[in-house]
Amino acid sequence: MSELLLEEEEMGALFAVRFRYVIGFALIASAFANLSNIDTIWGYLVNFIAIGFYFMNTFVHLHILKKKDSKWKTKYDYISLLVDNVLITMTILNWYWIKGDGNPNFLVKTPLMIFYLLPLSLCLFQYRFSLVVFTFLCFLISYYSFITVALLDPDAQVSLDWTSYVLGDEIILLDALVSKPVIFLILAFAISYGIFRSLRMLLKFAASETQKTTLSRYFSPDLVSEIVSDPEVIGKGKRQKVTVLFSDIRGFTQFSELLDPEELSVFLTEFRRRMVRVIFQNKGSLDKFIGDAVMVTFGTPLPSEIPGEDVTNAVNAAYAMLNELKLWNEERKSQGQVEIKIGIGIHSGEVFCGSIGSEERMEYTVIGDTVNTASRIESACKEIGSPLLISEVVWEEIGKPSAWHKNEAVLLPGREQKINLYAYQNV
């Protein structure tokens, strides 16, 4: 997260420096617009030399930011803002010497004071409160220095009359001391709050994207959106009906002995990638990998509102897994590799569904007899000689199709009662 914030700060600084060129051209336009008020060569020189220094400072700042490992990146942000404020102060002093007629109140009432807003506005592009505070302090030092100079001058005229203050040479001291600094303070606060809101939104967005990335490894894209919108869905434990699918590679132990660890890792990664893709396409949720085995649930964390849809999705996912395996085996045969066979078992029933574990490590999963039964149905694929077996409960919920062969009174390991299993005949 800190790296993300640092990256955004650097991008903001880079944009701010580029935007300085826009401000620079606006300053040039303002300088040309006021040429008629300059009647000395010194006035021309100070104005355009200040603008020249502004562009030179901008160029140096941009050059520093483009360097990957420059220790001056952060430091020069402050130097650049200081240079901006100094240039504005020098410009105001220049106009005072040219047009102030010796009246120090000119320093307080000059409309050029608005230019101090420019460096302050640049802070909005960067996520650093310290820059806002620094720029505001630079303004306060310059502004109150002007007021001090004005008050120390014996010719300074203080008045309480607003008309004289606006149109004449006098100043209203309290207004001069308070109004402009308060306005700048409010603007600085608004920029700071804008930075705070941006940072907060950025952190929330990053957390949300991280959560989505994590959840996308286990849930289909449709479910991820629902979970993110209501995170409590996976935090609350509850009992609900779920369809559980187990899949296992046949003869994996002997097969894995022929591969070195790297080859085995590549094989398992590709197998899992292919299986998970079709599982997610059928709205399944990946519960876990157990070696070469895959445990998938349908109807978690939210069961379908359409009766029987979760069971149908599970069976369709099993078809898709077998079809995907068939395509992969054709590729493997063309490369001289052995074929892969899997067994799939599906059962549906009530489970406990929720986050289980300790504070150090939580895992969203389902537990209950339905899970154990689905696992043992998958194990029975080898004895029955079918790659896909479903329980009678599942068979009934998908409409009792005739394409399935009934295996009556099968006794699964660890169970006292026999159950009927159905094998798909067209596999």
Side-chain angles (χ1 to χ4, degrees):
M1 195 72 71
S2 59
E3 291 180 0
L4 178 62
L5 288 176
L6 181 61
E7 182 182 341
E8 289 300 319
E9 282 183 13
E10 291 179 354
M11 289 179 62
L14 196 60
F15 182 82
V17 173
R18 287 171 175 164
F19 188 75
R20 287 170 58 86
Y21 283 107
V22 177
I23 295 176
F25 288 115
L27 293 175
I28 293 174
S30 176
F32 275 105
N34 288 279
L35 286 179
S36 59
N37 289 307
I38 303 176
D39 47 21
T40 65
I41 189 65
W42 177 249
Y44 288 104
L45 285 176
V46 172
N47 264 17
F48 289 99
I49 287 175
I51 292 175
F53 268 111
Y54 174 86
F55 276 102
M56 185 174 68
N57 176 47
T58 301
F59 176 80
V60 172
H61 196 176
L62 186 61
H63 181 70
I64 290 174
L65 288 177
K66 285 184 176 181
K67 287 187 175 181
K68 290 185 178 180
D69 301 315
S70 175
K71 64 180 181 180
W72 285 96
K73 275 188 178 182
T74 303
K75 297 177 182 178
Y76 204 84
D77 288 335
Y78 296 94
I79 294 174
S80 182
L81 290 172
L82 178 62
V83 170
D84 289 346
N85 280 276
V86 169
L87 289 176
I88 294 170
T89 300
M90 293 302 298
T91 303
I92 291 175
L93 289 172
N94 174 56
W95 279 97
Y96 165 63
W97 292 325
I98 295 174
K99 293 293 183 180
D101 293 330
N103 187 344
N105 291 349
F106 178 93
L107 295 171
V108 180
K109 299 171 66 174
T110 176
L112 292 175
M113 200 67 64
I114 197 172
F115 282 94
Y116 283 109
L117 292 175
L118 295 177
L120 189 62
S121 66
L122 290 173
C123 299
L124 186 60
F125 299 115
Q126 295 170 265
Y127 299 109
R128 290 159 63 188
F129 298 104
S130 57
L131 292 177
V132 181
V133 174
F134 177 78
T135 308
F136 180 63
L137 289 176
C138 287
F139 160 73
L140 287 182
I141 292 171
S142 296
Y143 182 70
Y144 282 115
S145 296
F146 291 153
I147 290 182
T148 302
V149 170
L151 293 178
L152 291 176
D153 192 299
D155 296 328
Q157 302 178 45
V158 178
S159 171
L160 294 177
D161 181 66
W162 189 260
T163 302
S164 299
Y165 176 50
V166 175
L167 300 178
D169 296 334
E170 298 85 357
I171 61 170
I172 299 178
L173 184 60
L174 287 178
D175 181 78
L177 289 172
V178 175
S179 294
K180 288 186 179 69
V182 166
I183 291 172
F184 274 76
L185 177 62
I186 292 173
L187 183 59
F189 178 80
I191 292 174
S192 298
Y193 185 71
I195 293 173
F196 168 76
R197 289 282 296 168
S198 298
L199 281 173
R200 190 175 179 183
M201 289 176 63
L202 179 64
L203 291 172
K204 282 187 175 181
F205 177 76
S208 176
E209 288 303 304
T210 301
Q211 185 182 32
K212 284 184 178 181
T213 301
T214 302
L215 291 173
S216 65
R217 299 173 185 171
Y218 303 97
F219 300 100
S220 65
D222 295 337
L223 285 174
V224 168
S225 299
E226 294 186 43
I227 295 170
V228 171
S229 63
D230 184 12
E232 291 298 318
V233 167
I234 61 175
K236 299 175 182 177
K238 60 180 178 179
R239 299 188 69 86
Q240 68 182 60
K241 183 180 178 182
V242 169
T243 302
V244 182
L245 180 153
F246 269 91
S247 173
D248 194 8
I249 298 176
R250 292 286 166 258
F252 180 74
T253 303
Q254 294 80 4
F255 171 77
S256 62
E257 291 176 352
L258 303 175
L259 303 175
D260 62 42
E262 184 177 351
E263 290 176 325
L264 183 60
S265 174
V266 172
F267 167 80
L268 282 177
T269 300
E270 180 64 11
F271 171 76
R272 291 173 177 178
R273 184 187 68 81
R274 289 174 177 267
M275 295 300 105
V276 169
R277 184 177 69 239
V278 296
I279 287 167
F280 284 173
Q281 288 173 354
N282 290 278
K283 300 183 180 180
S285 300
L286 176 63
D287 190 285
K288 61 175 66 71
F289 290 113
I290 312 167
D292 62 307
V294 183
M295 176 180 169
V296 185
T297 57
F298 295 81
T300 57
L302 300 170
S304 173
E305 297 179 357
I306 303 173
E309 184 178 41
D310 293 328
V311 176
T312 301
N313 287 336
V315 175
N316 288 338
Y319 295 156
M321 291 169 70
L322 292 172
N323 288 333
E324 182 67 27
L325 184 65
K326 182 179 179 181
L327 294 174
W328 192 31
N329 277 330
E330 290 177 358
E331 294 179 18
R332 291 178 61 82
K333 282 193 295 183
S334 66
Q335 297 170 4
Q337 299 173 328
V338 298
E339 290 188 39
I340 303 301
K341 295 183 179 180
I342 64 173
I344 301 175
I346 305 175
H347 185 49
S348 185
E350 191 176 72
V351 299
F352 174 81
C353 179
S355 297
I356 300 170
S358 63
E359 293 182 357
E360 290 77 18
R361 188 179 188 279
M362 298 294 290
E363 178 185 30
Y364 182 81
T365 188
V366 297
I367 56 175
D369 183 64
T370 298
V371 179
N372 299 331
T373 301
S375 176
R376 286 159 185 158
I377 291 174
E378 184 276 318
S379 299
C381 288
K382 187 184 297 183
E383 286 75 22
I384 294 177
S386 173
L388 174 56
L389 289 176
I390 62 175
S391 65
E392 191 164 37
V393 173
V394 173
W395 179 73
E396 289 176 350
E397 289 203 38
I398 61 174
K400 302 179 180 181
S402 58
W404 294 79
H405 173 70
K406 184 177 182 181
N407 295 269
E408 297 185 4
V410 177
L411 182 62
L412 298 175
R415 295 186 64 90
E416 297 180 358
Q417 296 181 346
K418 296 180 179 180
I419 66 172
N420 297 328
L421 299 178
Y422 288 78
Y424 189 53
Q425 299 183 91
N426 294 341
V427 178

